[in-house]
Amino acid sequence: MTPTDDRQLPSALAAVAAITFDYADGEGVDFEPYPAFWSADETTEWIRAWTGNRGLTGEEWRVFGMDGTGGQGAFWLTRLNRPLSDQPIVFLGSEGETGAVARDLHSFLWLLADGMGPYEAINPRQRDRAPRPNPELAAIAERFAPAARQSAATVISLAIEEFPAFDEMIKERCR
């Protein structure tokens, strides 16, 4: 990937970014998607500040949204030679929370459609809440990932199962 083509939001994520998320006083989804990925420089600055590790670069991350506290949702580019949409989505919170959110973009769309965002997916007190389907986000998921339909609980469970060491990997990079 070149710096120009890997900083373009996939069409599905651009459609999500056009939706206004309703936090609903803690009952909704605490997520604000960005209209574009952060630049390479912004991403490097962020991961260095988040980990305290000046040796890191932002090349393995594509940051695309945040929660109300400043925690970031991002693609984690860990699957070699696979397109961006096949990469896992993770969350790095403002207070040190981390976690795998979804195995790929298609799964992430269904997580959102079921009324769950990145922060809610990694927060044990939030992830077991009852689904709160969002018709606008469900329409996006139907349009871009009709064969990938899953409940938020399944999306989260599969992400944790595939990436059980994500939290430890991040902690090892912290200084």
Side-chain angles (χ1 to χ4, degrees), residues 54-132:
R54 302 292 304 156
L56 297 177
T57 68
E59 65 188 27
E60 70 181 304
W61 312 100
R62 296 298 177 269
V63 179
F64 62 84
M66 70 176 185
D67 74 345
T69 68
Q72 303 298 324
F75 283 96
W76 173 35
L77 307 183
T78 190
R79 294 180 173 141
L80 297 176
N81 302 315
R82 300 279 296 275
L84 182 66
S85 61
D86 287 350
Q87 302 296 333
I89 292 175
V90 298
F91 184 79
L92 285 84
S94 64
E95 301 299 317
E97 317 93 327
T98 62
V101 172
R103 298 177 66 237
D104 56 31
L105 178 57
H106 291 153
S107 298
F108 183 65
L109 295 176
W110 286 105
L111 177 95
L112 294 173
D114 213 12
M116 187 89 54
Y119 171 74
E120 292 84 10
I122 67 139
N123 182 324
R125 293 182 305 240
Q126 296 282 329
R127 76 168 62 125
D128 293 331
R129 73 183 193 185
R132 296 182 179 116

Side-chain angles (χ1 to χ4, degrees), residues 2-169:
T2 65
T4 53
D5 67 5
D6 72 347
R7 296 291 167 176
Q8 181 74 33
L9 284 181
S11 298
L13 199 52
V16 167
I19 301 294
T20 300
F21 285 75
D22 184 4
Y23 183 55
D25 294 323
E27 298 298 316
V29 176
D30 185 7
F31 185 60
E32 299 173 34
Y34 301 138
F37 287 124
W38 281 357
S39 71
D41 288 342
E42 289 171 309
T43 305
T44 294
E45 185 178 317
W46 161 73
I47 198 65
R48 286 178 177 173
W50 201 94
T51 62
N53 186 338
R54 302 292 304 156
L56 297 177
T57 68
E59 65 188 27
E60 70 181 304
W61 312 100
R62 296 298 177 269
V63 179
F64 62 84
M66 70 176 185
D67 74 345
T69 68
Q72 303 298 324
F75 283 96
W76 173 35
L77 307 183
T78 190
R79 294 180 173 141
L80 297 176
N81 302 315
R82 300 279 296 275
L84 182 66
S85 61
D86 287 350
Q87 302 296 333
I89 292 175
V90 298
F91 184 79
L92 285 84
S94 64
E95 301 299 317
E97 317 93 327
T98 62
V101 172
R103 298 177 66 237
D104 56 31
L105 178 57
H106 291 153
S107 298
F108 183 65
L109 295 176
W110 286 105
L111 177 95
L112 294 173
D114 213 12
M116 187 89 54
Y119 171 74
E120 292 84 10
I122 67 139
N123 182 324
R125 293 182 305 240
Q126 296 282 329
R127 76 168 62 125
D128 293 331
R129 73 183 193 185
R132 296 182 179 116
N134 180 308
E136 286 181 286
L137 292 167
I140 292 170
E142 281 289 342
R143 178 176 166 205
F144 290 99
R149 180 184 292 267
Q150 298 172 330
S151 68
T154 299
V155 169
I156 296 164
S157 177
L158 290 173
I160 292 169
E161 181 180 307
E162 185 170 350
F163 302 102
F166 178 74
D167 297 335
E168 287 304 313
M169 181 274 297

